[in-house]
């Protein structure tokens, strides 16, 4: 008996993954080599360089965690937090809440800054939190909240955090390569992302970067990092030039795909890519609003590549409509999470899925159904 799996071709317009470039899919079919082969070591160096370019950072400790974005989140927090540390974490959606959970598992005392879903954290909220916790080890927030489509302004908050001599930790899973993200200019000390959103590579890898200030905090730890696999003291040597030390077996084919996807981004140019996501967003917004959809997030803080919208009045069963899109038109969009489950859609236009043709396919299907 044998099992075959031949999935239908989908048009991916949910919160991730996005459609992959044909070059990326082809790269995954490249013959395997050993993960310590000199050729693969060279590729790892090139991947590191391209991640630095796309993060706009010169941080030496920049590499790719061999696991998805949630592991990047955990890498940043478990390496910087020890039992008894105090930290401030901003929560305005699912992923801020997830950071709280990880920090508490590290034994840290967490001071939450809570904002209604769909809104962003204000500098005034950070100032108030710093009155309660004036010397936090770190302050963590989500740049692009995938559960709501809210885009967090960074610069003013970054200045407040560094004035308090704290580290700034940022979730950039849904912003990297889709909207402006400037690690060094904004003073971000630890950042993580994922490969399946605006990069349009397969899920399963998490680029991370740590500033010299964050590295110093790591070196001054009094206790072991609670995770062996994510301990930067160990894994950083795996990405350290020709003399790299064995740590784990890297997912070779996924790194092939990441290498090619990063090449595609740099060939297009970061700023042109940001502009494309904004332009297609405006086109999608115009078409959705003409059908009666309404946006969750106010325009000034709206993430262009992930559009959270209320459905037109009179549609009682959003899940049934999504199922029709998927089953009859092969178009995937995402439903709401948490408080917004059953109330909103999350429509992604990321990377290779960010084209006017994708918008036209979705809008054409919706006009037929509605």
């Amino acid at each position: 008996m044998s099992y075959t799996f031949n999935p239908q071709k989908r048009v991916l317009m949910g919160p991730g993954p996005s459609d992959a470039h044909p070059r990326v899919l082809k790269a995954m079919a490249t013959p395997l080599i050993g993960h310590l082969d000199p050729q693969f070591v060279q590729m790892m160096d090139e991947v590191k360089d391209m991640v630095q370019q796309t993060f706009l950072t010169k941080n030496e400790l920049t590499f790719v965690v061999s696991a998805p974005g949630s592991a990047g989140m955990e890498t940043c927090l478990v390496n910087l937090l020890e039992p008894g540390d105090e930290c401030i974490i901003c929560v305005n959606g699912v992923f801020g809440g997830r950071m709280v959970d990880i920090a508490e598992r590290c034994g840290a005392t967490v001071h939450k800054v809570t904002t209604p879903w769909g809104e962003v954290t204000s500098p005034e909220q950070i100032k108030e939190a710093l009155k309660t916790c004036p010397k936090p080890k770190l302050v963590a927030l989500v740049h692009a909240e995938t559960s709501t489509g809210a885009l967090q302004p960074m610069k003013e908050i970054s200045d407040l955090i560094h004035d308090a001599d704290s580290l700034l930790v940022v979730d950039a899973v849904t912003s990297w390569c889709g909207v402006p993200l400037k690690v060094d200019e904004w003073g971000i000390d630890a950042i993580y992302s994922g490969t399946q959103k605006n990069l349009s590579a397969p899920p399963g890898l998490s680029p991370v970067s740590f500033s010299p200030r964050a590295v110093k905090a790591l070196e001054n730890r009094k206790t072991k990092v609670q995770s062996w696999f994510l301990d930067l003291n160990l894994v950083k040597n795996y990405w350290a030039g020709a003399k790299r030390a064995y740590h784990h077996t890297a997912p070779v084919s996924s790194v092939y795909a990441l290498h090619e996807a990063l090449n595609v981004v740099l060939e297009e140019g970061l700023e042109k890519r940001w502009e494309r996501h904004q332009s297609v967003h405006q086109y999608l917004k115009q078409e959705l609003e003409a059908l009666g959809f309404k946006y969750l997030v106010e325009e000034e803080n709206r993430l262009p590549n992930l559009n959270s919208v209320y459905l037109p009045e009179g549609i009682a069963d959003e899940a049934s409509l999504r199922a029709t899109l998927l089953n009859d038109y092969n178009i995937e969009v995402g439903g709401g999470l948490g408080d917004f489950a059953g109330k909103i859609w999350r429509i992604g236009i990321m990377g290779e899925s960010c084209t006017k043709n994708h918008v036209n396919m979705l809008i054409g299907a919706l006009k037929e159904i509605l």
Side-chain angles (χ1 to χ4, degrees), residues 309-325:
V309 290
Y310 292 104
L311 276 68
E313 291 182 13
I315 297 177
D317 187 357
E318 64 81 24
S320 175
L321 186 57
R322 273 191 296 120
T324 300
L325 271 178

Side-chain angles (χ1 to χ4, degrees), residues 277-297:
H277 282 82
Q278 185 61 240
S279 173
V280 176
H281 161 71
Q282 291 298 332
Y283 181 55
L284 173 64
K285 172 180 175 289
Q286 165 193 309
E287 296 296 320
L288 286 175
E289 289 181 339
L291 291 177
F293 288 84
K294 294 180 180 177
Y295 274 78
L296 167 66
V297 180

Side-chain angles (χ1 to χ4, degrees), residues 9-187:
K9 176 75 171 71
R10 302 293 198 193
V11 178
L12 297 178
M13 298 186 68
S18 59
D19 288 341
H21 194 288
R23 282 168 51 185
V24 173
L25 297 176
K26 184 178 179 182
M28 293 178 70
T30 304
L32 291 175
I33 56 177
H35 67 107
L36 292 175
D37 186 300
Q39 295 175 91
F40 190 70
V41 168
Q42 179 184 343
M43 174 177 271
M44 290 171 76
D45 288 337
E46 292 173 359
V47 165
K48 174 181 175 176
D49 180 66
M50 289 190 284
V51 171
Q52 287 173 314
Q53 290 183 58
T54 50
F55 271 153
L56 295 176
T57 184
K58 294 180 180 176
N59 289 341
E60 182 58 31
L61 187 51
T62 300
F63 67 99
V64 179
V65 178
S66 297
S70 295
M73 177 190 291
E74 194 150 10
T75 297
C76 290
L77 294 173
V78 301
N79 280 278
L80 296 177
L81 290 174
E82 296 184 74
D85 283 341
E86 287 190 282
C87 65
I88 295 171
I89 297 180
C90 303
V91 181
N92 64 337
V94 166
F95 296 95
R98 192 169 290 182
M99 285 198 282
V100 169
D101 190 2
I102 294 171
E104 289 175 343
R105 290 169 187 248
C106 293
T109 299
V110 178
H111 301 268
K112 288 193 288 186
V113 175
T114 304
T115 305
W117 285 33
E119 299 180 16
V120 295
T121 304
S122 69
E124 288 69 32
Q125 288 175 288
I126 298 296
K127 289 176 185 176
E128 284 300 311
L130 288 170
K131 291 177 183 177
T132 304
C133 177
K135 293 288 182 183
K137 180 78 168 290
L138 60 84
V139 180
L141 48 73
V142 178
H143 185 216
E145 179 52 73
T146 316
S147 61
T148 65
L151 180 61
Q152 174 69 51
M154 295 293 303
K155 192 66 177 74
E156 189 175 351
I157 286 177
S158 174
D159 291 341
L160 287 170
I161 291 166
H162 290 117
D163 287 345
D165 197 28
S166 299
L167 300 171
L168 172 58
V169 177
V170 171
D171 177 319
V173 169
T174 311
S175 57
W176 181 47
C177 294
V179 297
L181 175 65
K182 303 175 181 181
V183 170
D184 286 357
E185 184 178 322
W186 295 348

Side-chain angles (χ1 to χ4, degrees), residues 197-276:
K197 309 274 187 176
N198 305 306
L199 192 70
S200 284
L205 295 173
S206 179
V208 298
S209 186
F210 292 79
S211 73
R213 295 175 73 242
V215 172
K216 186 176 179 181
L218 172 68
E219 291 171 346
N220 289 336
R221 287 183 66 100
K222 297 179 180 64
T223 60
K224 275 189 174 183
V225 175
Q226 69 175 31
S227 168
W228 179 90
F229 184 70
L230 301 177
D231 185 346
L232 291 181
N233 292 299
L234 304 174
V235 74
K236 69 181 180 180
N237 297 321
Y238 187 46
W239 284 82
K243 292 184 178 180
R244 68 194 64 216
Y246 169 69
H247 179 263
H248 66 279
T249 302
V252 173
S253 295
S254 294
V255 178
Y256 287 161
L258 172 59
H259 184 275
E260 190 62 24
L262 285 163
N263 268 312
V264 170
V265 169
L266 293 174
E267 286 169 15
E268 180 178 7
L270 267 182
E271 291 192 2
K272 286 185 177 178
R273 199 172 182 90
W274 299 339
E275 290 167 3
R276 171 164 62 88

